[in-house]
Amino acid sequence: MEINEAISRAKKNDQKAFNYLLDLYWDHVYGFQLKRIHNENDAEDVTIQTFSRAFDRIETFDENYTFKTWLITISKNIHIDLLRKEKNSIKHVMSKDDKTVLQILDESPSAEDKLITEQHLAKLLRDIKKLKPHYQKVINLRYFQELSYKEISEELDEPINNVKVKLLRAKKLLTEVIRDK
């Protein structure tokens, strides 16, 4: 399969084309992020978000550009957004008698927040049960058992890239289930 064919098939929601593009460009995007972030887990998370966003919006891809450049641009923007969120979580820095004091926002949940979270979790679990069993399993292993991609790959006896794509697909389908309510 060539790249242009894979892109046009992906625009028609062809899972094999998504897998092909993911396998072909994973190392490029991951390497780009690893150089920026210097943390393997964070680089992997940003790379996954990149492919998720790209695959969700693949119909907007303009063939006048290279697909790799488009992915790198998406990846860079996701990283910038994460840095902005991180920066905004610190209220302000103030200096007093040569001592720097960081005043950090208290983001610990209140009792009401905890109750709302539990209600949302119950709804989320009901929505997850509407997915096919193999999607339920990959979501459970990643987000509830907090296994790494490597551990999930070993558990399911599948290549890591398949696990990543399956997880991306599961999240997309779950989003559609939630949106349809």
Side-chain angles (χ1 to χ4, degrees), residues 34-48:
L34 194 56
K35 286 178 186 173
R36 291 173 65 110
I37 299 175
H38 305 292
N39 178 307
E40 291 178 4
N41 290 330
D42 291 344
E44 189 174 22
D45 286 344
V46 171
T47 303
I48 289 168

Side-chain angles (χ1 to χ4, degrees), residues 89-178:
S89 70
I90 299 177
K91 196 172 184 179
H92 65 275
V93 177
M94 118 184 157
S95 184
K96 193 175 188 179
D97 299 332
D98 295 332
K99 295 179 183 175
T100 303
V101 178
L102 294 179
Q103 290 188 341
I104 300 174
L105 292 174
D106 181 12
E107 295 179 0
S108 59
S110 67
E112 291 171 351
D113 292 333
K114 288 178 185 175
L115 181 62
I116 291 169
T117 301
E118 287 174 14
Q119 290 172 345
H120 286 298
L121 183 59
K123 287 179 188 174
L124 180 63
L125 290 172
R126 283 193 300 274
D127 291 338
I128 289 171
K129 288 184 180 183
K130 294 177 184 174
L131 299 176
K132 292 181 180 175
H134 60 278
Y135 290 134
Q136 289 179 29
K137 185 166 188 169
V138 76
I139 286 177
N140 179 34
L141 292 171
R142 180 66 177 160
Y143 296 107
F144 294 100
Q145 295 183 28
E146 297 182 349
L147 297 182
S148 68
Y149 294 110
K150 184 177 180 186
E151 292 168 328
I152 295 170
S153 171
E154 292 167 0
E155 175 83 19
L156 299 178
D157 195 28
E158 291 185 24
I160 289 180
N161 282 344
N162 286 8
V163 169
K164 291 173 183 172
V165 169
K166 194 178 280 187
L167 191 59
L168 288 174
R169 185 75 180 134
K171 291 193 297 189
K172 184 175 181 180
L173 291 171
L174 182 59
T175 302
E176 289 172 8
V177 166
I178 292 169

Side-chain angles (χ1 to χ4, degrees), residues 51-68:
F51 280 97
S52 177
R53 188 170 296 170
F55 290 165
D56 284 345
R57 298 184 182 133
I58 195 149
E59 68 279 347
T60 66
F61 173 69
D62 183 353
E63 282 81 12
N64 293 326
Y65 301 99
T66 63
F67 193 71
K68 179 180 170 184

